[in-house]
Structure formats: structure tokens, C-alpha cells
């Protein structure tokens, strides 16, 4: 225990004296977060609207198409999804309204009531969406005006409106947990790859092997340090991000910090295991660094760190949703943005768990002391 | 000083193969308490492998290595706890200060030492706050000897301790070896430098192709050679180029 403590303290000292590692673990992610946060992409897009289409017929599809506008004039930024998903997006995400198309929509002779729910915090967007919806329904059904009077649109369609108070804090709040997850990946992967490969190639590990404690204890101290760093780094990134970008964390729930700590440790374990596998395989830093980059770079862009997965083509998200970083970023986002508790994150925890098992299996197979 | 039994090292028919290559091919010898024992031989002769088997860093294919009465193969941890090791390639932590490195290694042996006192034994006490990365080659070598001393070892292994050092630093290290020997430790060292072996070693073993081809005191080995009628090609002068160099540049250590 005393030995383990001494090794951990020593390796913490080494870590915090390594300016380069600190830069990549803290200042670089902070910088990215602030740059993207200040750009605030929310402002420039047309309002996001989620549509739940229960009818799924030609008429409802025509309506959705019309709401999207055309190339000359884009009206609404529409995403069609399940009932739960569109309401979830309205409450926690960047969506400003939900439009529910009833199942009897487009059926002649029946009265179809379209329900619209707005986030009351965004009155300006509400006015825009309401106007567009009114004009579009009018226009779509005037084209079908050849039908007899009793079936005329004016008679058979109604729009009912309601409001909720959403909790979504827009892109800024969305960005912070993603960047924190990315930073965990970078720390786990790169500090292991660089320090361990260097310790190995310089002979530090051999020298440890000559002592009675052996190199396994030494590794344990190293890993403890990385765990501490990963958690501290997550706190710093989330706190500084929340203060500077002016968003709240975990809907004010104090347990969110505990949940974040658990997720950070799981993510740290996962990427450290991947780092161990890479450094076990690589003989020196020159080969380890590119391999680590090949693993981390695609994940940075495909795991929804900078932009939502929904902004990517389906064929890409179909498999990028299974990336380790996607699980970590999604889980951390659910906690910080939606105020979710870690106990509700079944699929993210399962995904992380499976990846941890796979990575540790590969790491133990690949790792060589010399 | 840990008490040592005599002979403190017994190597019995050590053998080690790497694939098809036989690195150690039946090496046996004994080292007595308080001796400086030198192992000489060309690169790849099997010196380092032999030393590493004694240190518990490698397992021999067959044969026994016994340090202070303990079989290395059976109790490598116990042996590692009572020996001091300086490896051929010694690396420590770039971002730690020297006193921190000594302190850390002392804790690994659960030894209570004053890092500054240990550093002063190798003349690095004025560098205790320097980071490892900032040391010169000679200082790094001396630090690795200091680290090997933290557990007050029964046997100190030095693998090519002066390779790559300038003449001043080498002489300083010789002085250090003599001091350590006087304090009662047994020292096993490998070297490529014959004048170093002649200067320091009480006995030497010459190793070639994994076998010991000669083992005796330096004087006895020289006498045996002369007895065969051997004459040096060039008459030995009263001084060497080493002496000229040291006379010109002084004995003071360069950092």
C-alpha cells in the first residue's frame, strides 16, 4: 500500500510537470469548446421542428415536404421521428416545436387535428413556425380543392396548439459533454501510448522489473494517476464550460457529478485499455502515435462530439452509433444536458462495458514488458 | 550493511538459449564476499545475459544461480530485495528531481534512507533539485549507481558502468566503486575497458561465446600470458594518452 501510494504520488508529479500532456488534456479541449461555443450555430439555422407522422400516407408526406420548403426558400428544419423521440428533443434538445400528424390525416371526410407543441421559451420561433404551418396547410389543401364542399380542407382540418417549458440549452450545452468525452479519450489513449511506450523503449520498465515490486505495481500506480487525471479533467472542462458558456449542468442535480465521475472512470478505463493494446503492439513512439491517431481521429468526428449524429447521413450513423466514444459522449450528454441519472443509461453503459471487455482482452494479449 | 555469507555468489552451469542462439553455455563461477569481480568479453559474448540471470531478470534454461545462499530461480523477489542493480540502459523519470527518484526507489525497497546522503555518495547532492532530464551522461550513470545503493545491497551489479563516459567521469566512477567496496559490498561488473578491469577488479572472468575461457586475478592472467613468451608489439610507455588527456583537461568532473 505504501509502495503503491509512493508510485502514484510520483507519477502524479510527473504528469503535472509534463506541460505538453496538460495542454492536450485541458487547454486544447477548452479552446475547442470555447471557439465552437462562441460561434453558437443555433442562430443561423432555420428552427428545428420534430414531426411525428402517424398517418404515413401521401398526404402527410406532402405536408412534411412542404414544411421543409424548397431550395430557394428553406422553411423549417424538419426531422421525422417517433413520438417519444420528437418530444424528448423538444424538452431537452434543440427542437423548438413538435408537430403531430394524426393517423386519419388526408382521409377524405374525416376531421384531422394536427397537434403542435411549442417550447414557450422561444416565442419568436413559435410565431415563425405557427405562421409557416398555417400557410402550408392552407396551400397544400387548396390544391386538393376540386373535392366537394363538405370535404373542403377548411372544414376537415384543425390545428391545436399547446406549450411546454423545455430544458434544452441549445448547442452550447450540447457541446460541453461531447468535448469532455473527447478529452477523456485523448488522455486515456495518448498519455498511455506516449508515457508507456517511452518507459518501455527507454528501459524504465526494465529497471522497475529489477526491483522487488516488479513492473505490475508500477503500472497500477500509473493507471491510478490516469484515473485521477481523467476525473479532474472532466470536472474542469464541464465547470469552466458551463460558467463561460452560461449553461447549467445536470438540470441542477447534484448527483449528476457523481454520475459524471463514474462515466469518466469507465471511459478512462476503456481508452486506457485501448492505449495499452496499442502500446503493447507498438515498439516505439513513432509507430504508436499514428496508430493512436487512426483510432481517435475518426471517432472525434463520427461520435457526435462537434455535431449531432442526426446531421450525418444514415449509412454513417448506422455504425458510428456503436463507436466507444459515441456511447461515452451520449451518456455524459444525457447526464449534463437532460439531467438523466446514470441508472437510466442502459444502452450506453452496456456499450461501454462491452468495449471495455473487448479492449482489456486485446490489451492483455498484446502488452509486452519489453 | 547486510550480512553476507561466503561465497556470496555461486553460479552453477548456467545455460540460456534464445531460439537457435546459445547466449550462455555452461557458465560456473563463485564470487567471494567483498570482491570486485569483473566480467570481460566482446559484445554478444553472454556477459549481460549471465548478469541478468543472477539479478533475477531472466530465467536460465538450466543451472543454478545462488546469491547469498538464496536460489534466484526460486526466490527472485527476495534476491532482488537484497541486491543493487545498475542496468546497461538505465532510464529514470525525466520529470522527477533526483531526490524524488532516490526517495521513490527507496520506498520500493521499503528502505529508510536520506536521499541527500545517498546522492552525496555519488557526488550529486548539489543536484538534488535537478530534474533527471537535465543531467549529463556521467551524472545519469552516477544517479543509477545511487539508486542501486538505496537498499544497502549485499551485491552490487554494474553493467558497463563507464561506457560512454569521458575520462574524468570514468575516474570518478572508479573512485566510487572503490568507496563502495570499502564499505563492505561485493561488486560484479561488466566492462569493455581492460584498464578499468585492471584498475578495479580483484578477479576477472573472460567470457567468449557464452563460456568462461579464463578466470583469475588480473596479475595472474598477465603473468600466465608472459610465461608463454608473449611480448607486447609496442613497448609500453610510462604514460598513456589517457594520462595526457587528463593532464591537459584536469581531473575535475565536467557536467
Amino acid at each position: 500500500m505504501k509502495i503503491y501510494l509512493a508510485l502514484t504520488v510520483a507519477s502524479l508529479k510527473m504528469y503535472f510537470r509534463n506541460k505538453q500532456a496538460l495542454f492536450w488534456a485541458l487547454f486544447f479541449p477548452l479552446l475547442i469548446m470555447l471557439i465552437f461555443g462562441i460561434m453558437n450555430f443555433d442562430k443561423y439555422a432555420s428552427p428545428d421542428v420534430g414531426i411525428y407522422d402517424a398517418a404515413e400516407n401521401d398526404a402527410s408526406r406532402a405536408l412534411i415536404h412542404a414544411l421543409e420548403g424548397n431550395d430557394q426558400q428553406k422553411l423549417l428544419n424538419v426531422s421525422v421521428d417517433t413520438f417519444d423521440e420528437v418530444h424528448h428533443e423538444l424538452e431537452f434538445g434543440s427542437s423548438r416545436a413538435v408537430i403531430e400528424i394524426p393517423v386519419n390525416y388526408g382521409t377524405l371526410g374525416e376531421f384531422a387535428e394536427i397537434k403542435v407543441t411549442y417550447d414557450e421559451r422561444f416565442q419568436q420561433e413559435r410565431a415563425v413556425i405557427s405562421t409557416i404551418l398555417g400557410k402550408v396547410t392552407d396551400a397544400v389543401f387548396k390544391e386538393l380543392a376540386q373535392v366537394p364542399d363538405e370535404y373542403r380542407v377548411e372544414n376537415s382540418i384543425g390545428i391545436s396548439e399547446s406549450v411546454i417549458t423545455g430544458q434544452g440549452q441549445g448547442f452550447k450545452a450540447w457541446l460541453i459533454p461531447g468535448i469532455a468525452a473527447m478529452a477523456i479519450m485523448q488522455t486515456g489513449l495518448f498519455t498511455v501510448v506516449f508515457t508507456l511506450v517511452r518507459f518501455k523503449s527507454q528501459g524504465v520498465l526494465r529497471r522497475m522489473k529489477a526491483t522487488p515490486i516488479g513492473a505490475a505495481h508500477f503500472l497500477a500506480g500509473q493507471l491510478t494517476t490516469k484515473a485521477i487525471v481523467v476525473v479532474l479533467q472532466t470536472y474542469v472542462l464541464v465547470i469552466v464550460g458551463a460558467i463561460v458558456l452560461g449553461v447549467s449542468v445536470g438540470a441542477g442535480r447534484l448527483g449528476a457529478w457523481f454520475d459524471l465521475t463514474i462515466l469518466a472512470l469507465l471511459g478512462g478505463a476503456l481508452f486506457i485499455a485501448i492505449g495499452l493494446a496499442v502500446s503493447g503492439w507498438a515498439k516505439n513512439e513513432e509507430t504508436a502515435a499514428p496508430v493512436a491517431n487512426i483510432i481517435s481521429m475518426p471517432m472525434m468526428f463520427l461520435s457526435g462530439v462537434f455535431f449531432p449524429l442526426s446531421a450525418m447521413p444514415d449509412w454513417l450513423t448506422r455504425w458510428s452509433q456503436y463507436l466507444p466514444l459515441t456511447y461515452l459522449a451520449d451518456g455524459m450528454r444525457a447526464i449534463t444536458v437532460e439531467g438523466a441519472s446514470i441508472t437510466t443509461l442502459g444502452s450506453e453503459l452496456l456499450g461501454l462495458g462491452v468495449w471495455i471487455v473487448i479492449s482489456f482482452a486485446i490489451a492483455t494479449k498484446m502488452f509486452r514488458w519489453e | 550493511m547486510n550480512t553476507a555469507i561466503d561465497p556470496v555468489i555461486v553460479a552453477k552451469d548456467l545455460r540460456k538459449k534464445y531460439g537457435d542462439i546459445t547466449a550462455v553455455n555452461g557458465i560456473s563461477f563463485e564470487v567471494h564476499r567483498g570482491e570486485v569481480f569483473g566480467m570481460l568479453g566482446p559484445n554478444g559474448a553472454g556477459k549481460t545475459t549471465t548478469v541478468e540471470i543472477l539479478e533475477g531478470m531472466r530465467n536460465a534454461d538450466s543451472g543454478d544461480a545462488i546469491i547469498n545462499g538464496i536460489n534466484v530461480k526460486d526466490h527472485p523477489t527476495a534476491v532482488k530485495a537484497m541486491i543493487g542493480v545498475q542496468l546497461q540502459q538505465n532510464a529514470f523519470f525525466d520529470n522527477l528531481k533526483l531526490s524524488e527518484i532516490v526517495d521513490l526507489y527507496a520506498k520500493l525497497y521499503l528502505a529508510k534512507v536520506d536521499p541527500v546522503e545517498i546522492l552525496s555518495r555519488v557526488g550529486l547532492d548539489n543536484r538534488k533539485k535537478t530534474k533527471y532530464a537535465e543531467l549529463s551522461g556521467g551524472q545519469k550513470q552516477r544517479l543509477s549507481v545511487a539508486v542501486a545503493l538505496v537498499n544497502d545491497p549485499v551485491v552490487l551489479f554494474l553493467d558497463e558502468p563507464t561506457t560512454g563516459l569521458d575520462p574524468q567521469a570514468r575516474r570518478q566512477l572508479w573512485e566510487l566503486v572503490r568507496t563502495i567496496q570499502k564499505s563492505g559490498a561485493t561488486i560484479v561488473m561488466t566492462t569493455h575497458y581492460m584498464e578499468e578491469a585492471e584498475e578495479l577488479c580483484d578477479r576477472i572472468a573472460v567470457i567468449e561465446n557464452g563460456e568462461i575461457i579464463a578466470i583469475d586475478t588480473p596479475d595472474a592472467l598477465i603473468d600466465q600470458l608472459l610465461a608463454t613468451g608473449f611480448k607486447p608489439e609496442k613497448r609500453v610507455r610510462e604514460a598513456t594518452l589517457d594520462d595526457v588527456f587528463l593532464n591537459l583537461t584536469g581531473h575535475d568532473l565536467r557536467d
Side-chain angles (χ1 to χ4, degrees):
Chain A
M1 193 61 208
K2 201 176 147 197
I3 292 173
Y4 168 73
L5 207 69
L7 280 167
T8 304
V9 169
S11 93
L12 271 174
K13 273 185 199 161
M14 286 181 240
Y15 185 84
F16 283 103
R17 283 176 195 167
N18 184 348
K19 303 287 179 298
Q20 225 187 335
L22 278 183
F23 175 82
W24 290 107
L26 281 179
F27 297 105
F28 180 68
L30 266 182
L31 208 64
I32 291 194
M33 195 157 78
L34 297 182
I35 290 172
F36 273 76
I38 286 162
M39 283 180 184
N40 196 6
F41 292 105
D42 283 346
K43 275 192 211 156
Y44 304 102
S46 13
D48 287 343
V49 173
I51 295 183
Y52 168 60
D53 180 6
E56 288 192 341
N57 54 27
D58 288 344
S60 70
R61 274 189 282 274
L63 176 63
I64 293 167
H65 190 67
L67 287 171
E68 286 177 321
N70 52 32
D71 288 345
Q72 276 88 48
Q73 196 190 9
K74 196 158 171 15
L75 297 176
L76 299 175
N77 194 17
V78 167
S79 59
V80 182
D81 215 321
T82 62
F83 181 88
D84 288 345
E85 189 53 42
V86 290
H87 278 279
H88 189 265
E89 264 300 299
L90 177 65
E91 192 171 354
F92 300 112
S94 56
S95 168
R96 299 294 183 243
V98 164
I99 299 174
E100 296 168 36
I101 305 174
V103 70
N104 62 353
Y105 181 85
T107 310
L108 287 181
E110 284 190 34
F111 178 75
E113 188 185 9
I114 295 176
K115 282 191 200 155
V116 191
T117 317
Y118 298 100
D119 185 341
E120 66 169 3
R121 297 176 303 160
F122 301 96
Q123 288 301 328
Q124 216 178 325
E125 277 97 338
R126 175 181 176 172
V128 170
I129 295 165
S130 174
T131 311
I132 290 173
L133 184 62
K135 289 201 164 153
V136 164
T137 45
D138 237 30
V140 164
F141 283 90
K142 267 181 186 144
E143 279 181 26
L144 301 171
Q146 296 95 329
V147 296
D149 260 5
E150 65 268 33
Y151 298 140
R152 287 291 295 275
V153 155
E154 290 83 15
N155 304 329
S156 62
I157 188 166
I159 294 174
S160 70
E161 298 191 339
S162 61
V163 293
I164 63 156
T165 308
Q167 295 177 34
Q169 301 180 85
F171 181 71
K172 289 174 176 176
W174 185 92
L175 184 67
I176 294 171
I179 300 280
M182 179 194 80
I184 291 174
M185 171 178 78
Q186 302 292 73
T187 299
L189 199 53
F190 282 94
T191 62
V192 170
V193 165
F194 284 113
T195 55
L196 220 61
V197 173
R198 203 172 60 227
F199 285 158
K200 202 162 73 164
S201 65
Q202 286 181 342
V204 172
L205 287 184
R206 271 182 66 70
R207 184 63 186 79
M208 276 291 158
K209 229 181 133 186
T211 70
I213 64 129
H217 268 76
F218 173 69
L219 265 189
Q222 285 287 316
L223 294 183
T224 310
T225 304
K226 300 299 178 267
I228 294 172
V229 168
V230 152
V231 170
L232 285 181
Q233 162 196 343
T234 305
Y235 289 164
V236 169
L237 289 177
V238 173
I239 291 172
V240 173
I243 291 172
V244 175
L245 299 180
V247 298
S248 80
V249 177
R253 194 175 63 95
L254 210 60
W257 293 100
F258 176 76
D259 294 354
L260 269 185
T261 310
I262 305 279
L263 271 188
L265 288 174
L266 285 176
L270 167 57
F271 288 107
I272 283 168
I274 296 178
L276 284 174
V278 171
S279 50
W281 175 80
K283 282 178 188 64
N284 53 42
E285 283 158 271
E286 281 74 32
T287 47
V291 175
N293 272 314
I294 285 171
I295 291 173
S296 70
M297 285 297 266
M299 275 202 270
M300 228 189 242
F301 296 104
L302 298 179
S303 294
V305 166
F306 302 112
F307 299 102
L309 285 182
S310 58
M312 292 178 202
D314 283 347
W315 60 266
L316 202 57
T317 51
R318 203 169 299 140
W319 61 269
S320 73
Q321 60 177 316
Y322 300 115
L323 290 173
L325 186 58
T326 310
Y327 289 117
L328 184 62
D330 283 355
M332 293 178 70
R333 194 166 286 135
I335 288 168
T336 63
V337 176
E338 300 167 16
S341 154
I342 196 165
T343 50
T344 64
L345 302 178
S347 60
E348 283 83 3
L349 292 177
L350 182 71
L352 283 175
V354 169
W355 274 112
I356 288 174
V357 170
I358 295 175
S359 320
F360 266 97
I362 298 175
T364 43
K365 222 175 152 62
M366 294 288 244
F367 192 75
R368 297 278 176 276
W369 290 110
E370 292 169 36
Chain B
M1 169 57 50
N2 288 311
T3 48
I5 61 165
D6 199 64
V8 67
I9 297 175
V10 181
K12 273 190 257 178
D13 200 27
L14 295 176
R15 289 171 194 276
K16 177 79 185 175
K17 271 189 176 186
Y18 299 113
D20 290 341
I21 301 154
T22 305
V24 178
N25 191 18
I27 282 186
S28 303
F29 63 90
E30 290 179 356
V31 179
H32 300 287
R33 196 167 57 193
E35 250 188 342
V36 177
F37 185 79
M39 296 173 82
L40 313 182
N43 280 331
K47 305 185 297 283
T48 298
T49 304
T50 306
V51 170
E52 286 181 344
I53 291 170
L54 296 174
E55 292 164 344
M57 301 272 293
R58 270 178 215 290
N59 289 325
D61 296 336
S62 67
D64 286 305
I66 294 152
I67 309 266
N68 206 23
I70 300 174
N71 196 318
V72 181
K73 186 170 61 191
D74 301 332
H75 305 284
T77 308
V79 169
K80 282 175 187 175
M82 65 181 186
I83 61 172
V85 171
Q86 190 226 22
L87 300 175
Q88 217 176 84
Q89 185 197 24
N90 266 289
F92 296 97
F93 309 105
D94 284 347
N95 281 326
L96 288 190
K97 296 168 189 162
L98 302 198
S99 56
E100 290 171 339
I101 292 175
V102 173
D103 188 50
L104 174 65
Y105 275 85
K107 282 181 177 143
L108 299 187
Y109 290 89
L110 294 173
K112 280 199 169 51
V113 298
D114 174 10
V116 181
E117 191 272 327
I118 295 274
L119 285 172
S120 74
R121 287 169 74 179
V122 299
L124 284 174
D125 43 332
N126 57 341
R127 294 273 166 172
K128 64 180 183 221
K129 292 207 167 134
T130 310
K131 286 186 188 155
Y132 181 72
E134 293 156 19
L135 294 186
S136 70
Q139 290 172 327
K140 283 181 177 171
Q141 207 66 304
R142 277 186 282 153
L143 177 75
S144 70
V145 175
V147 169
L149 295 174
V150 291
N151 58 335
D152 196 7
V154 174
V155 184
L156 179 63
F157 290 94
L158 305 173
D159 201 358
E160 296 187 15
T162 62
T163 298
L165 299 191
D166 65 24
Q168 284 92 349
R170 179 179 305 165
R171 257 149 234 268
Q172 159 99 13
L173 210 105
W174 291 356
E175 211 41 63
L176 181 60
V177 171
R178 285 194 200 99
T179 317
I180 296 167
Q181 184 189 20
K182 271 190 206 118
S183 76
T186 308
I187 296 169
V188 174
M189 61 185 292
T190 68
T191 181
H192 284 302
Y193 304 106
M194 296 310 130
E195 84 273 25
E196 181 166 294
E198 202 175 337
E199 186 82 24
L200 290 177
C201 296
D202 299 313
R203 281 192 311 138
I204 58 174
V206 181
I207 297 180
E208 168 83 311
N209 293 326
E211 293 172 25
I212 292 182
I213 52 175
I215 182 164
D216 214 327
T217 65
D219 284 347
L221 288 169
I222 292 168
D223 287 346
Q224 284 162 28
L225 178 65
L226 292 174
T228 63
F230 176 85
K231 289 270 190 296
E233 281 174 20
K234 206 163 148 190
R235 205 181 69 79
V236 178
R237 281 181 281 192
E238 299 297 316
T240 64
L241 194 54
D242 222 27
D243 297 327
V244 174
F245 181 84
L246 287 168
N247 190 44
L248 289 171
T249 61
H251 278 80
D252 291 340
L253 211 63
R254 309 300 161 89
D255 286 339

